[in-house]
Amino acid sequence: MNWETVIGLEIHAQLATKSKIFSGSATAYGAAPNAQANLVDLGYPGVLPVLNGEAVRMAVSFGLAVNAQVAPRSVFARKNYFYPDLPKGYQISQYELPVVGRGSLEIVLEDGTRKRIGITRAHLEEDAGKSLHEGVAGASAIDLNRAGTPLIEIVSEPDMRSAKEAVAYMKKVHTLVRYLGICDGNMQEGSFRCDANVSVRPKGSDKFGTRAEIKNLNSFRFVEKAINFEVARQIDLLESGGKVVQETRLYDPDKGETRSMRSKEEANDYRYFPDPDLLPLEIDGAFLDAVRATLPELPDAKAARFAHEYGLSEYDAGVLTASRELAAYYEEVVRRLGGEPKLAANWVSGDLAAFLNRDNLEIDASRVGPAQLAGLVGRIADQTISGKIAKDVFEAMWVSGRDADAIIAEKGLRQITDTGAIERAIDEVMARNPGQLAEYRAGKDKLFGFFVGQTMKATQGKANPAQLNELLRKKLTGP
Ligand code: ADP
Ligand code: MG
């Protein structure tokens, strides 16, 4: 049978506030266990939560960025469950009335197709603490530093139809929260993670299949692998006459498989009710306008501007606007060059991106800055060096931190554009290879590449490639 995959994601983004959502404790990552947990975070009886206004502003800015309805009135609810790292016995979340309602965003797939993904809601909630299973064998310890850290949970519609779409969606949300400055997006530290709900159904069916929820995926690669594994598992199960059960599963990156964790609770198991310690959250038009006024140029708008202003393809514009920092770097290169936007785009999304990736560096930590890259690209544009030599120069810049001009001068890499010099090199190569020359003239066109290679070699790769090709064609054809 032909199966269709259905995916909906619940993304948890940790809001980048300095203090917690209902207490004054710091949220900074990496402190000694329980150094950032006060009486509210410890769940002492009689203490009262006080809502952090900055967390509200951040949630609202997300809502505006995905064109969602921001609720004029939303309510905090207690979600009751027992967990050792949840001393209150409940998590403060939002349930029936979330602060952000329906919205959507657009993803662009590798082949250029665009798709709109619905956002059901985004609600504010507090994170729980952490159980640590290290140190004393057989014992666990509780660290409540994370307890009360503000999160927004962004729930999507079940609109995605492949792991690739799910990853594209998650990346788009990741880009967006970082543009907005509301989440640092650090996935290793768990600041941005998702639960993937996955089901399959016979293609053409209009009913959804039973879903499994894969918890706490904290890398794009894991999301893709976990979904693909889960889809295959469910199809196997159904085709062998079995049934998918609604449950929570965990992805094991070492084994590359998902495993059952527990059967899924129904919402009514949580006994949600409005938290009597917190007033409803009311948001008026003036507050919305004030938040709207702080929004930066958002990724879609920036990509459209890049495509238009710099003549880039939509795909390239999308790549270059994946983060604000990358976009700023690119614009700085173009500004310094005073032109050459396409060449600059190729270098930023090509060699530069590859080296950053190889060394696992963010753009802000690039070993070649925008001024230096502009220096290199300028030398390609003015034909001082060829694009091919430029790759070697770039590598040398990356390693040494020096400027392109210094490396070009020191290594004598300046391109040969003198027609006479190139012709002399060609003459020598022809003289040295009379056999190949005769074959070429007898119609073996393939040998053209051989002569290009030999002449390039004779000039240590420095001949201007376009000139070399043209002159070579003339000379080989003969008088
Ligand atoms: P819960 O909060 O219990 O996990 P929700 O109804 O809020 O349940 O749904 C959570 C997520 O599951 C949403 O992102 C939704 O799009 C997705 N989802 C719902 N039904 C399916 C399904 N049959 N297949 C895949 N995803 C689904
Ligand atoms: Mg869920």
Side-chain angles (χ1 to χ4, degrees), residues 10 153 195 197 211 213 215 264:
E10 296 162 274
E153 177 174 340
D195 304 338
N197 294 270
R211 71 184 147 118
E213 179 181 27
K215 277 277 178 204
K264 170 96 191 150

Side-chain angles (χ1 to χ4, degrees), residues 6-10 155-158 197-199 208-209 211 213 264:
V6 174
I7 303 158
L9 297 188
E10 296 162 274
V155 182
S156 85
E157 290 290 298
N197 294 270
V198 180
S199 66
F208 287 141
R211 71 184 147 118
E213 179 181 27
K264 170 96 191 150

Side-chain angles (χ1 to χ4, degrees), residues 352-361 367 395 398-399:
L352 176 72
F355 275 72
L356 289 171
N357 199 17
R358 186 196 70 181
D359 292 358
N360 207 3
L361 293 174
R367 301 173 66 84
E395 177 151 22
W398 188 269
V399 173

